[in-house]
Amino acid sequence: MVDTKSNYLLLMKLIHSETTINASVEPFLNYLKTKEERFIHFDEGFDNSDLLEFLRGANRYADEFIFSAGNKAPIYILINTLYENLKQ
């Protein structure tokens, strides 16, 4: 199975680098941090329905922010990849 932790950490890295360009993205970074423990210590055996709901919310919440051209597509791809992998 795809490494959920690695994808989450890469998403966090992208959002963090985005905050250095645009500080208004920081609330989105803080939102993602609220589930950091669950993603870092991810266990396939757990009921991950809360993480699926969280990622649906993250996808909608991301629409409220303007990301740089270089980070926008990778951010959305990672959110969707995390969601699709958890759905399986």
Side-chain angles (χ1 to χ4, degrees), residues 14 17-19 21-22 25 65-75:
L14 282 172
S17 70
E18 190 67 27
T19 62
I21 300 167
N22 180 0
V25 175
F65 299 94
I66 298 172
F67 300 110
S68 64
N71 285 337
K72 183 177 181 175
I75 287 169

Side-chain angles (χ1 to χ4, degrees), residues 6-77:
S6 295
N7 283 333
Y8 173 78
L9 291 174
L10 182 54
L11 176 62
M12 292 297 290
K13 182 179 176 182
L14 282 172
I15 299 298
H16 188 268
S17 70
E18 190 67 27
T19 62
T20 62
I21 300 167
N22 180 0
S24 69
V25 175
E26 193 164 346
F28 188 62
L29 177 65
N30 293 335
Y31 176 77
L32 292 175
K33 285 180 180 179
T34 64
K35 294 289 186 183
E36 186 168 30
E37 277 299 308
R38 282 292 310 278
F39 282 106
I40 299 264
H41 302 290
F42 181 75
D43 185 341
E44 290 179 40
F46 286 151
D47 176 16
N48 292 309
S49 57
D50 65 320
L51 291 179
L52 285 169
E53 186 59 35
F54 173 78
L55 290 167
R56 278 192 286 273
N59 199 26
R60 288 187 302 270
Y61 191 33
D63 291 340
E64 296 181 24
F65 299 94
I66 298 172
F67 300 110
S68 64
N71 285 337
K72 183 177 181 175
I75 287 169
Y76 280 99
I77 289 169

